Structures are given as C-alpha cells and as structure tokens.
Amino acid sequence: MRIFTFASTLLLSAMTITAAHAQDRCELFGDTVNVNRNSQFHVFIKSYSQPVKDYLANAKRIAIEYESDDTNLITLGGAWFQPTAKEGTAKMKLIVYQESATQKDQPDYEHKIDSLDFIVNIQPKGTKVALPYVNVNWGSGKAEAIADMEKHYSLYSDTYYAMNPTITQDERQQFDWFLNPNFDYPLLALGYNDYGQLFSSNIIVADGTRLGFQNTSEISDYLTAEGYELLGYDEMGLLVCYNEAKQTQASAGYITIQGQYFRFLNFQYMDENPLAVEKVEATKPLARITRSGSTVSIDAEGDAGQQVRIFTLDGNIAAQGRLANGKNTFNVGDKGVVVVRVGKHAGVKLM
C-alpha cells in the first residue's frame, strides 16, 4: 500500500544546503558497499557535486545508471544492480545523467553530469542487517520528535529538499528527513498531520529482498518478534502488519529517490486493527470518488472514518486525511493522474 510521500510527498526523499558538503564531487557513505547475493540493490548518494547541484537548481530531475567491470558477478538493470553468481568483489560505476525529456526517471545519454566509482562486496545470501530505530511516539510535536531522532541520526531535511527542488514548500512541512550512514537503510523520515503531530515514521530500504514479496522476510520476522501481527500482503505483494499495543500499522511501498525506485517501510498511527481477516483484500471502495481539475471529491458513504491517501503515479502522496461523513474534498494541484486509496480498498485512478 502506498502510505508515503516524496514516494510516496508516500513518502522518501538540520543541515543547510551550504553545509551539505563543499566537495566538488558526489559522495557515498564509503567506497565499499556490502550487498547480499541475489539482492536487487540501489545506492543512495549522500551529497552531490557542484555540477549536479547546478543542474538541479533549475528544478529538474536526475537519472541514475550503473555499470560494472564484471557482468558475470553483477546483473545490471539500469537504475539497479544485483549480485547473482557468487561471493566476491566487483568494481562498479554510478553514473548521473540528466533526466530524459520524454521518459521519466530515464537517462538522457547525451547529457552525462557526473559519475563515481565504488566496490561491491558480495555477501552470502540472507546476511542480515539490524533494522534502524524509528520514533513511534504518536502525537508528539515536531520539536520533540526531531530531538528524539537526533539522538540516533543527523537531521537531513534541508539537504534532502535541496536535492529535490520540485518538492513544494507545503509538502516540505509534512516531513522531516534524517541521514543514517548505512547503505541498506540510508534515510528515515517523520511524517506529521495538519496539527504538527507525529503521525508516521518511515525507513528507506535499499535492498528489497529484506522486505520480501508475498512471503515472510527478514523485516517481517523482525516485526513479529517486536509484537506485530502479520496480516497479509497488499496488491503489490508487500507486507501489512499491526501492533495493537502500540496502535501502529507497518506496511511498505515504493518511492522514487535520485531516479531510483527504493522501497520504504512505513509505521503509522492506526487506532484499530485495519483488518478483521487474515488476508488483505483489495475490494472496491464504498465511497464515491470524482475529480474536477485540481479537486478530488469523495462522498464517504460506507467508508466514513477510513484513512484516504492520494498518490501520484511515481508514488508520492499528493494529499491524505480521514474521511468524515458526507462530502470530502482534497486539492491535488496539477499533479496529473493520481491514484486514490481509501482504507484497504483497491486504488481508484483519476485523470
């Protein structure tokens, strides 16, 4: 389910832009990335070189592509790579391009901006990495929530938004970002409701295998050990869990960051178990949903009280809230095609 914004405003994704790093090259957390065999992986760029910053100053987007000196060890998929054969090391290159004018998130191969080299250390399949801490003290204010996270991570909001200039000022008020110097879980984000209270916490996941697909996984095992019940899987095959004691739902989705489709794990306040059955069912919403220009109208009918999230096609949340009785309206601006999710129902696509 698409819980997040950036992916998702769900979704990605303080330091100021002038403090982001003065070096004139792109920078990773280190020169060597540990990746499990058979795991599809994305690498987060910690800071941009000046040529990339100059390009983004015009509110444009970048695209990423990987190259390797050993395709016997590494399968390349454009904006992702996957060690497939055996343990070992491989030399890699991450190339930053301008985004194609005709294909979103695809490179314009005539306009390379920068590149950087790194080493992939291929680990045995199933090598685990501890899930990072997240704040689930729902209802706490921004200052309190940020202070709690800064005990563990660096506040990264200003740098993240400088990297993503197309995110609006209103959208920036909904999330704070934190840098975790870990290739597997490089970013975390706190989400707030309209009252500035903590409403969700999110972990960016670079290795999708850790989340799994329509089966138990390293992350689902971690969650069940922490008291979450695995309710099932959504229409994308991603986990949905609930912890009654914490009144917290855990689910997952996809988010575009730096031209790459990362996964994310979302923790969100939910005052009741979202399902009375063991399996997620993607049924049609009871609410009547229409759109006129920038306004999405939802007549709640039998879905009154349900959470509603409106996503752009690249996974960013354009609007969200909880349905009151009667007519509800949401402004999505000029977002183009959006998908409306009401509770656990199937999404409704609106032009």
Side-chain angles (χ1 to χ4, degrees), residues 8 18 55 64 99 130 140-141 145 182 187 191 225 231 268 287 290-291 295:
S8 116
T18 56
Y55 171 72
I64 299 295
E99 185 185 50
S140 56
N182 180 298
L187 291 172
L231 301 176
Q268 183 163 303
T290 59
R291 179 178 181 179
T295 301

Side-chain angles (χ1 to χ4, degrees), residues 163-205:
M163 287 179 163
N164 297 274
T166 58
I167 298 176
T168 69
Q169 290 298 323
D170 286 344
E171 291 168 344
R172 297 179 188 201
Q173 298 304 311
Q174 299 176 23
F175 287 88
D176 276 307
W177 291 84
F178 300 85
L179 187 69
N180 181 32
N182 180 298
F183 280 108
D184 281 275
Y185 303 112
L187 291 172
L188 298 95
L190 301 182
Y192 309 103
N193 62 18
D194 292 340
Y195 302 100
Q197 298 169 322
L198 182 64
F199 184 75
S200 72
S201 290
N202 307 271
I203 302 172
I204 303 303
V205 182

Side-chain angles (χ1 to χ4, degrees), residues 41-348:
F41 208 85
H42 305 281
V43 173
F44 176 72
I45 304 172
K46 174 185 173 183
S47 60
Y48 289 156
S49 65
Q50 195 60 48
V52 177
K53 292 178 184 178
D54 291 342
Y55 171 72
L56 290 174
N58 295 316
K60 297 180 180 179
R61 294 159 55 97
I62 61 172
I64 299 295
E65 188 154 295
Y66 293 97
E67 293 180 355
S68 175
D69 71 336
D70 193 341
T71 54
N72 292 319
L73 285 177
I74 303 292
T75 296
L76 299 172
W80 57 266
F81 64 90
Q82 181 176 351
T84 55
K86 57 186 178 181
E87 286 96 65
T89 59
K91 294 180 180 179
M92 298 285 300
K93 184 182 291 290
L94 185 159
I95 306 172
V96 182
Y97 292 96
Q98 294 184 13
E99 185 185 50
S100 167
T102 58
Q103 291 182 289
K104 192 172 184 179
D105 297 322
Q106 297 301 308
D108 178 349
Y109 292 107
E110 299 299 319
H111 293 92
K112 173 183 171 181
I113 307 174
D114 208 342
S115 66
L116 66 159
D117 299 320
F118 62 98
I119 301 294
V120 167
N121 177 42
I122 304 172
Q123 302 181 130
K125 184 177 179 180
T127 302
K128 296 182 179 181
V129 174
L131 201 63
Y133 167 82
V134 290
N135 186 338
V136 294
N137 296 314
W138 309 130
S140 56
K142 279 191 178 185
E144 180 183 351
I146 290 172
D148 176 78
M149 290 291 282
E150 285 188 302
K151 296 175 184 177
H152 308 272
Y153 315 107
S154 299
L155 184 61
Y156 194 66
S157 298
D158 286 353
T159 300
Y160 181 83
Y161 290 128
M163 287 179 163
N164 297 274
T166 58
I167 298 176
T168 69
Q169 290 298 323
D170 286 344
E171 291 168 344
R172 297 179 188 201
Q173 298 304 311
Q174 299 176 23
F175 287 88
D176 276 307
W177 291 84
F178 300 85
L179 187 69
N180 181 32
N182 180 298
F183 280 108
D184 281 275
Y185 303 112
L187 291 172
L188 298 95
L190 301 182
Y192 309 103
N193 62 18
D194 292 340
Y195 302 100
Q197 298 169 322
L198 182 64
F199 184 75
S200 72
S201 290
N202 307 271
I203 302 172
I204 303 303
V205 182
D207 180 351
T209 306
R210 300 193 189 281
L211 265 172
F213 175 77
Q214 291 187 339
N215 59 4
T216 57
S217 63
E218 176 183 335
I219 288 179
S220 69
D221 288 346
Y222 171 86
L223 292 173
T224 54
E226 291 294 311
Y228 287 81
E229 178 187 0
L230 179 60
L231 301 176
Y233 308 95
D234 67 11
E235 72 277 9
M236 297 297 292
L238 300 174
L239 61 81
V240 180
C241 301
Y242 186 71
N243 187 311
E244 185 173 2
K246 296 180 179 180
Q247 293 187 309
T248 300
Q249 175 183 275
S251 57
Y254 295 89
I255 174 176
T256 304
I257 298 178
Q258 299 176 342
Q260 306 176 75
Y261 291 99
F262 286 80
R263 290 170 176 82
F264 65 87
L265 179 64
N266 168 267
F267 297 87
Q268 183 163 303
Y269 172 71
M270 187 75 70
D271 57 3
E272 60 181 7
N273 191 320
L275 300 171
V277 295
E278 295 181 355
K279 193 75 174 177
V280 174
E281 300 291 343
T283 57
K284 291 183 179 180
L286 302 175
R288 289 187 296 161
I289 304 170
T290 59
R291 179 178 181 179
S292 177
S294 62
T295 301
V296 172
S297 298
I298 304 177
D299 289 320
E301 299 190 355
D303 282 327
Q306 293 281 353
Q307 179 75 18
V308 60
R309 301 176 184 87
I310 303 175
F311 300 88
T312 58
L313 289 185
D314 62 357
N316 289 321
I317 287 184
Q320 62 180 326
R322 193 171 293 275
L323 292 181
N325 287 314
K327 186 175 181 179
N328 302 258
T329 59
F330 300 88
N331 190 316
V332 296
D334 58 353
K335 298 297 185 182
V337 178
V338 296
V339 177
V340 181
R341 289 292 307 275
V342 177
K344 301 301 173 187
H345 295 304
V348 175

